[in-house]
């Protein structure tokens, strides 16, 4: 078949406003029955906008131009009834007033409110200006917010207050998911607050703006969004709706976090045995199963079946093709002959974790669990075995977030590694346990081994990770629950060819301000990497440190 002729001339480029106004789906939806309902809605749009005193805050582009639906309905009713995205009726969109800490926490929060509108008080811009200097993450986020606001303001044709008061389309800079508008405070809002609140405080000024907007727009829901719990409490005490910024949370409930482990049903062999295929390669057995269990499985998920009187099954999902999945049995690291640098697994989850840590195909591993479950010890043992015995990696790099539990002790003298020394107490404790394994060489032999091991372990600070690339390294990120999603992305993208990254953390021990179990970078990584063929995750359940530590984790 001959190829079609090339176009005779290049297409002209549309500007952002024309593109957003005329964009339609490539496949028209079968919604022609909605077209008759458009006509009676248009007369109502005018009084609604008059009550709100903001130009078409919640209406679609068709509502902003009343003549358009009638005109296009006669020619192409199906196209007029199929807008770019299903919008809610006029008046349903909310007006969110953003506190400064929301923008400091997530610089892209402006574009996370879908069809709703965003209002920025002038005091919020003043506070942003006061935090823009410095090299902290908060200062970087503030500068990014300022750049986004500058791009949105640059789309205005004139610099008059009238056009600014109409609102800036948030989709003007390419964020198509944001269908609302951005409104700045363009006039002085003087609303008296209760007598007990000082007028000069920034939080109280924002509360005054919310109260004034609520009075000006009685037909619209005005909501304050703040990460500050006390400010939300004050707002509710004044009768103002307030919400936390929840868009940064990967999960609302930490109990829904992917555990990486799934128990097979007790009738697994009865339901899947007839259609199952099995074969062996060396000491490993493979099972190809098909049935109702397959849609619930993920790649590299660990499964087990323990029934009284029967041989237990411990396997990993290695392949999912259509309606079939392949399970591969695991190595038993609880046996002393399979010990990793003298360490054996003491429970099922530890055996799962050691199988992932020793697998050269797993480039990214996350281990979560309470204190004393053996996360650091197993990871360090697997790292030493693969650096010294297998020669798979050249060295071990250990890093962690330097967030103090109590009061800060001030500046620390010395080099980078000496400054990080006090934060690496967990590393020293586990190295001491691992050094006791080979005591046959005597005191001098143990000292020489410790020096050799120390020479292969590099302790690095997070502050100097930007721009680095790790080649053939075993990277251990300890206390990863204190990382933000942005910091986690920065660390993981440092990996070069042949590098394995292991993230360890206890989501119940978060010390970073404004981070929760749902918004932690560790939760973010576990949720995003699940099902990838070169990653794995295990939630360790049982503590093995001591009976005292186990009891304290339960009752304290």
């Amino acid at each position: 078949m001959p190829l079609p002729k090339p176009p005779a001339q290049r297409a002209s480029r549309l500007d952002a406003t024309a593109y957003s106004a005329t964009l339609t789906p490539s496949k028209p939806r079968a919604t022609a029955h909605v077209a008759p309902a458009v006509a009676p809605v248009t007369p109502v749009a005018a009084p609604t906008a008059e009550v709100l005193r903001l130009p078409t805050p919640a209406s679609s582009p068709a509502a902003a131009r009343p003549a358009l639906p009638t005109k296009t309905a006669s020619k192409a009713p199906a196209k007029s009834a199929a807008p770019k995205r299903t919008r809610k009726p006029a008046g349903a969109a909310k007006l969110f007033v953003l506190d400064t800490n929301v923008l400091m926490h997530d610089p892209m929060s402006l574009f996370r409110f879908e069809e709703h509108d965003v209002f920025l008080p002038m005091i919020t811009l003043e506070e942003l200006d006061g935090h823009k200097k410095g090299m902290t993450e908060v200062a970087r986020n503030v500068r990014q917010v300022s750049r986004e606001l500058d791009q949105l303001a640059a789309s205005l044709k004139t610099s008059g207050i009238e056009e600014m008061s109409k609102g800036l389309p948030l989709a003007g800079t390419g964020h198509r998911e944001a269908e609302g508008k951005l409104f700045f405070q363009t006039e002085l809002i003087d609303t008296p607050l209760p007598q007990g609140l000082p007028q000069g405080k920034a939080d109280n000024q924002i509360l005054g703006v919310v109260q004034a907007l609520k009075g000006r727009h009685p037909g619209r829901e005005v909501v304050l969004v703040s990460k500050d719990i006390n400010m939300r409490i004050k707002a509710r005490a004044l009768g103002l709706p307030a919400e936390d910024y929840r868009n940064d949370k990967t999960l609302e409930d930490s109990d829904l976090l992917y555990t990486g482990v799934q128990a097979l049903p007790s009738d697994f062999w009865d339901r899947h045995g007839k259609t199952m295929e099995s074969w062996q390669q060396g000491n490993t057995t493979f099972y190809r199963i098909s049935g109702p269990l397959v849609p619930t499985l993920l790649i590299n998920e660990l499964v087990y079946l323990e029934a009284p009187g029967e041989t237990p099954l411990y396997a990993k999902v290695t392949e999912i093709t259509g309606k079939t999945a392949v399970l591969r049995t695991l190595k038993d690291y609880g046996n002393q002959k399979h010990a990793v640098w003298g360490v054996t697994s003491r429970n099922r989850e530890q055996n799962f974790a050691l199988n992932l840590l020793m697998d050269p195909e797993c480039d990214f591993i996350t281990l979560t669990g309470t204190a004393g479950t053996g996360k650091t010890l197993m990871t360090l043992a697997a790292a030493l075995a693969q650096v010294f015995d297998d020669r798979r990696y050249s060295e071990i790099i250990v890093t962690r977030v330097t967030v103090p539990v109590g009061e800060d002790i001030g500046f620390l003298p010395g080099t980078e590694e000496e400054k990080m020394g006090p934060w690496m107490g967990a590393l020293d404790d586990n190295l001491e346990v691992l050094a006791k394994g080979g005591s046959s060489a005597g005191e001098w032999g143990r000292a020489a081994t410790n020096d050799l091991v120390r020479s292969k372990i590099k302790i690095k600070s997070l502050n100097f990770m930007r721009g680095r690339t790790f080649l053939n390294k075993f990277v251990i990120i300890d206390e990863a629950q204190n990382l933000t999603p942005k910091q986690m992305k920065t660390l993981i993208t440092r990996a070069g060819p042949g590098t394995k990254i292991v993230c360890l953390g206890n989501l119940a021990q978060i010390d970073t301000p404004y981070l929760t179990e749902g918004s932690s970078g560790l939760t973010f990584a576990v949720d995003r990497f699940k099902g990838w063929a070169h990653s794995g995750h295990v939630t360790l359940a049982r503590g093995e440190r001591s009976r005292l530590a186990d009891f304290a984790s339960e009752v304290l």
Side-chain angles (χ1 to χ4, degrees):
M1 186 177 72
L3 295 173
K5 295 181 179 180
Q9 60 183 3
R10 297 181 64 180
S12 58
R13 180 177 295 179
L14 295 174
D15 61 351
T17 55
Y19 181 70
S20 60
T22 59
L23 183 64
T24 55
S26 57
K27 293 183 180 180
R29 300 172 186 172
T31 53
H33 61 280
V34 187
V38 175
V41 171
T42 45
V44 187
T48 308
E50 187 177 351
V51 171
L52 297 176
R53 299 180 188 176
L54 291 175
T56 63
S59 59
S60 60
R65 299 179 299 277
L68 186 58
T70 356
K71 182 179 178 181
T72 53
S74 59
K75 294 184 179 180
K79 186 173 287 189
S80 66
K84 180 177 68 171
R85 185 182 289 188
T86 305
R87 299 290 297 273
K88 296 185 178 181
K94 301 177 183 178
L95 182 63
F96 288 105
V97 182
L98 297 192
D99 192 5
T100 316
N101 49 44
V102 175
L103 298 171
M104 292 177 178
H105 179 72
D106 182 7
M108 303 304 292
S109 57
L110 288 169
F111 311 102
R112 310 285 196 204
F113 292 93
E114 298 179 348
E115 75 273 7
H116 304 291
D117 295 335
V118 175
F119 188 93
L120 289 184
M122 194 58 67
I123 190 63
T124 296
L125 300 178
E126 284 291 327
E127 286 192 306
L128 287 176
D129 188 61
H131 289 86
K132 67 182 179 182
K133 295 180 181 179
M135 296 303 296
T136 62
E137 186 175 0
V138 169
R140 282 193 289 267
N141 289 345
V142 167
R143 290 194 291 269
Q144 184 176 349
V145 171
S146 301
R147 287 192 293 268
E148 295 290 346
L149 293 176
D150 183 56
Q151 288 184 11
L152 287 170
S155 62
L156 290 173
K157 296 180 180 178
T158 63
S159 58
I161 296 180
E162 294 80 9
E163 187 176 359
M164 181 72 77
S165 62
K166 295 177 182 178
L168 308 176
L170 288 168
T173 55
H175 299 275
R176 296 292 174 193
E177 69 278 4
E179 299 183 357
K181 289 186 176 183
L182 171 66
F183 294 94
F184 291 99
Q185 181 183 346
T186 56
E187 57 182 343
L188 178 64
I189 297 179
D190 189 13
T191 302
L193 289 171
Q195 295 293 329
L197 294 178
Q199 299 292 327
K201 194 174 180 182
D203 289 357
N204 297 337
Q205 293 185 39
I206 295 177
L207 291 175
V209 170
V210 177
Q211 196 169 28
L213 290 174
K214 187 180 178 182
R216 291 186 181 188
H217 312 306
R220 187 173 195 184
E221 189 174 357
V222 181
V223 183
L224 170 67
V225 182
S226 175
K227 297 291 292 181
D228 189 350
I229 298 176
N230 292 328
M231 187 169 180
R232 297 200 301 269
I233 293 173
K234 284 198 293 186
R236 289 170 184 141
L238 295 173
L240 303 174
E243 294 180 5
D244 187 11
Y245 178 67
R246 299 189 298 269
N247 201 281
D248 62 327
K249 294 183 179 178
T250 308
L251 296 172
E252 289 294 333
D253 188 0
S254 61
D255 294 337
L256 302 175
L257 184 64
Y258 172 63
T259 62
V261 179
Q262 184 177 158
L264 296 175
S266 57
D267 58 348
F268 171 73
W269 296 114
D270 298 333
R271 298 178 64 182
H272 299 83
K274 296 180 181 179
T275 58
M276 183 183 295
E277 304 175 22
S278 64
W279 66 95
Q280 275 194 332
Q281 291 181 2
N283 296 326
T284 307
T285 306
F286 292 84
Y287 300 98
R288 187 185 301 276
I289 63 170
S290 59
L293 184 66
V294 175
T296 65
L297 299 175
L298 291 171
I299 294 290
N300 281 350
E301 188 173 13
L302 300 148
V303 296
Y304 67 94
L305 176 60
E306 295 175 342
E310 295 185 10
T311 305
L313 171 67
Y314 304 108
K316 183 176 76 169
V317 182
T318 58
E319 178 187 335
I320 297 178
T321 308
K323 297 182 179 180
T324 64
V326 176
L327 307 181
R328 186 184 71 192
T329 56
L330 299 177
K331 196 172 183 178
D332 182 17
Y333 285 102
N335 195 327
Q336 188 62 42
K337 67 178 182 180
H338 296 150
V340 179
W341 202 261
V343 173
T344 57
S345 60
R346 294 188 179 183
N347 55 52
R348 180 179 61 233
E349 284 77 18
Q350 285 190 356
N351 188 39
F352 288 162
L354 282 173
N355 272 276
L356 291 177
L357 291 168
M358 298 299 292
D359 188 355
E361 292 299 318
C362 280
D363 300 333
F364 181 73
I365 298 169
T366 48
L367 300 180
T368 60
T370 57
T373 49
K375 303 182 295 293
T376 310
L377 181 65
M378 289 189 301
T379 304
L380 198 54
L384 292 173
Q386 292 175 88
V387 167
F388 287 100
D389 298 342
D390 302 338
R391 304 297 177 100
R392 191 174 293 152
Y393 306 104
S394 59
E395 64 180 5
I396 304 167
I397 293 178
V398 186
T399 184
R400 60 165 290 176
V401 191
T402 53
V403 180
V405 177
E407 291 293 328
D408 205 336
I409 61 174
F411 291 102
L412 297 171
T415 62
E416 179 188 357
E417 293 213 4
E418 290 171 345
K419 289 176 184 292
M420 291 295 294
W423 300 100
M424 291 298 169
L427 176 68
D428 297 332
D429 296 341
N430 287 284
L431 280 179
E432 186 179 342
V433 173
L434 295 173
K436 289 180 180 178
S439 57
S440 58
E443 195 68 31
W444 287 97
R446 281 199 300 272
T449 303
N450 287 340
D451 291 341
L452 181 61
V453 166
R454 286 284 183 180
S455 67
K456 288 291 185 179
I457 298 178
K458 298 291 188 294
I459 300 171
K460 300 295 180 185
S461 172
L462 282 176
N463 301 337
F464 312 110
M465 287 296 180
R466 184 77 72 183
R468 295 201 59 181
T469 302
F470 298 128
L471 303 175
N472 290 333
K473 303 289 193 296
F474 194 107
V475 182
I476 302 174
I477 305 173
D478 202 8
E479 304 294 335
Q481 77 275 3
N482 288 320
L483 289 168
T484 64
K486 194 172 181 180
Q487 289 172 329
M488 181 66 78
K489 179 181 178 181
T490 302
L491 283 177
I492 297 175
T493 51
R494 301 306 100 210
T499 291
K500 182 194 288 280
I501 294 183
V502 182
C503 294
L504 315 174
N506 180 10
L507 290 171
Q509 295 180 347
I510 295 179
D511 304 314
T512 305
Y514 296 125
L515 270 190
T516 62
E517 294 181 14
S519 61
S520 168
L522 182 58
T523 307
F524 180 75
V526 170
D527 189 67
R528 292 295 190 272
F529 276 91
K530 65 181 181 184
W532 187 47
H534 301 286
S535 71
H537 170 70
V538 176
T539 300
L540 299 164
R542 286 178 51 191
E544 300 290 349
R545 179 171 288 166
S546 67
R547 58 191 178 191
L548 172 60
D550 296 343
F551 185 72
S553 298
E554 294 177 6
V555 300
L556 295 181

